[in-house]
């Protein structure tokens, strides 16, 4: 019977309909039998995909952090370049004579306004040298070490600079207030022609700061007829508390003696006895 059915199915496809019927009836059983394998395969794929996604996410986070650090470094480099370009010879006629120094840290005493720079006696820094940035006067070197120096900022209480107004040439002394980063102009008469927005520059009469360096801009002018002096407040033009690089300028050359002094000195040199009599 089996051989006859095989011959009949092979020659005449007699069992095609039976085969189709059986396949239809067996389909649910096949699906049920294959379902556990599919479930296991999908669960395995799910966890594999989750693991791959987590690895990819971690890699992307690492790349983002690296790129973020690089972007921040690029911004810092751009800012440093702007600061250095601001102190280039094209910005200040004194820049070619000075030296660029990096601000290392603020002074250890939190109640004084001082910074420490990375230049000292080894680089030729001396006490009294003025310090500027690309916008104006920052302060003055007050203490010098072998490799570092201490700079007293313009806003330190008691720090004074002889200045003059650009608009009309009025001379004054500007001093640090020691608070809120502002400057004061003491002993200025009420009748003085000073207005908000006026610009103060160094006058150069003290022999420390070269003339013409920008110092501050007037922000407050209070005049009261009951008082002799006006109250004048100014804001530093330089980034006194926010610099990373500054420039140390050499001391201005001493002014030559007057012709009368030269003649007197020459006379004493040629006639020492007469000079002793005069001194007696």
């Amino acid at each position: 019977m089996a051989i006859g059915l095989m011959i009949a199915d092979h020659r005449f496809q007699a069992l095609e309909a039976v085969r189709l019927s059986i396949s239809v009836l067996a389909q649910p059983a096949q699906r049920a039998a294959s379902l556990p394998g599919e479930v296991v395969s999908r669960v395995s794929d799910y966890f594999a995909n989750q693991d791959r996604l987590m690895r990819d996410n971690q890699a992307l986070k690492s790349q983002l952090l690296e790129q973020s650090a690089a972007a921040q470094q690029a911004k810092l480099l751009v800012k440093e370049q702007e600061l250095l370009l601001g102190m280039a010879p094209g910005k200040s006629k004194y820049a070619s004579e000075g030296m660029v120094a990096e601000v290392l840290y603020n002074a250890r005493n939190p109640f004084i306004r001082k910074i420490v720079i990375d230049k000292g006696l080894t680089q030729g820094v001396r006490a009294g040298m003025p310090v500027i940035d690309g916008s104006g006067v920052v302060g003055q070197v007050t203490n010098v070490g072998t490799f570092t120096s201490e700079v007293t900022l313009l806003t330190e209480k008691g720090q004074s600079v002889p200045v003059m107004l650009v608009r009309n040439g009025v001379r004054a002394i500007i001093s640090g207030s020691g608070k809120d980063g502002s400057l004061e102009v003491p002993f200025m008469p009420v009748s003085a022609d000073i207005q908000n927005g006026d610009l103060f520059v160094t006058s150069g009469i003290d022999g420390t700061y070269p003339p013409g360096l920008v110092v501050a801009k007037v922000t407050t002018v209070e005049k009261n007829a009951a008082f002799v002096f006006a109250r004048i407040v100014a804001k530093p033009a330089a980034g006194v508390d926010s610099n990373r690089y500054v420039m140390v300028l050499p001391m201005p050359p001493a002014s030559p003696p007057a012709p009368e002094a030269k003649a007197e000195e020459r006379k004493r040199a040629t006639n020492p006895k007469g000079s002793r009599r005069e001194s007696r």
Side-chain angles (χ1 to χ4, degrees), residues 9-254:
D9 183 48
H10 179 70
R11 296 295 299 273
F12 307 105
Q13 288 81 35
L15 299 178
E16 184 67 26
V18 177
R19 185 184 299 107
L20 292 176
S21 300
I22 293 174
S23 65
V24 171
L25 296 174
Q27 179 68 24
Q30 292 178 354
R31 294 291 299 171
S34 63
L35 185 60
E38 293 180 358
V39 170
V40 172
S41 177
R42 290 183 180 181
V43 171
S44 177
D45 292 342
Y46 171 79
F47 285 108
N49 292 335
Q50 286 292 104
D51 185 60
R52 186 175 63 255
L53 289 175
M54 291 179 64
R55 290 198 305 269
D56 293 345
N57 191 20
Q58 188 65 30
L60 290 174
K61 286 183 178 180
S62 300
Q63 292 179 4
L64 180 61
L65 291 175
E66 293 175 359
Q67 293 177 359
S68 176
Q72 293 177 15
Q73 290 177 353
K75 289 181 180 179
L76 179 60
L77 291 175
V78 170
K79 185 62 178 178
E80 290 179 357
Q81 185 180 17
E82 292 177 356
L83 293 174
L84 294 175
L85 288 176
M87 294 183 289
K91 296 289 185 181
S92 172
K93 63 182 180 180
Y94 307 102
S96 59
E97 304 172 3
M99 68 181 76
V100 176
E102 182 179 1
V103 178
L104 298 178
Y105 52 86
N106 294 331
R108 294 179 176 86
N109 190 342
F111 299 102
I112 61 175
R113 299 179 181 273
K114 296 183 179 182
I115 57 176
V116 177
I117 60 176
D118 66 342
K119 296 292 187 295
L121 290 172
T122 308
Q123 290 78 22
V125 178
R126 298 292 181 270
M129 286 185 169
V131 179
I132 66 171
D133 65 3
S135 302
V137 176
V138 173
Q140 183 180 13
V141 177
T142 53
N143 191 12
V144 183
T146 305
F147 302 105
T148 61
S149 300
E150 190 177 69
V151 178
T152 300
L153 299 180
L154 190 65
T155 52
E156 168 68 7
K157 188 173 180 63
Q159 188 74 5
S160 301
V161 180
V163 294
M164 69 176 183
L165 280 177
V166 175
R167 182 170 56 87
N168 53 19
V170 172
R171 297 184 184 275
I173 300 292
I174 199 165
S175 303
S177 64
K179 56 183 180 181
D180 62 29
S182 62
L183 304 171
E184 297 177 349
V185 184
F187 311 118
M188 181 60 66
V190 176
S191 59
D193 182 14
I194 297 182
Q195 304 172 5
N196 285 337
D198 280 347
L199 195 64
F200 280 113
V201 298
T202 53
S203 61
I205 62 176
D206 62 341
T208 299
Y209 294 94
L213 298 176
V214 181
V215 178
K217 180 180 289 187
V218 177
T219 57
T220 302
V221 177
E222 296 180 2
K223 296 182 179 182
N224 191 336
F227 298 98
V228 179
F229 302 111
R231 178 178 178 271
I232 301 173
V233 180
K235 180 180 179 182
V240 176
D241 297 322
S242 58
N243 284 314
R244 184 174 180 185
Y245 293 96
V246 293
M247 177 167 286
V248 182
L249 299 181
M251 299 287 289

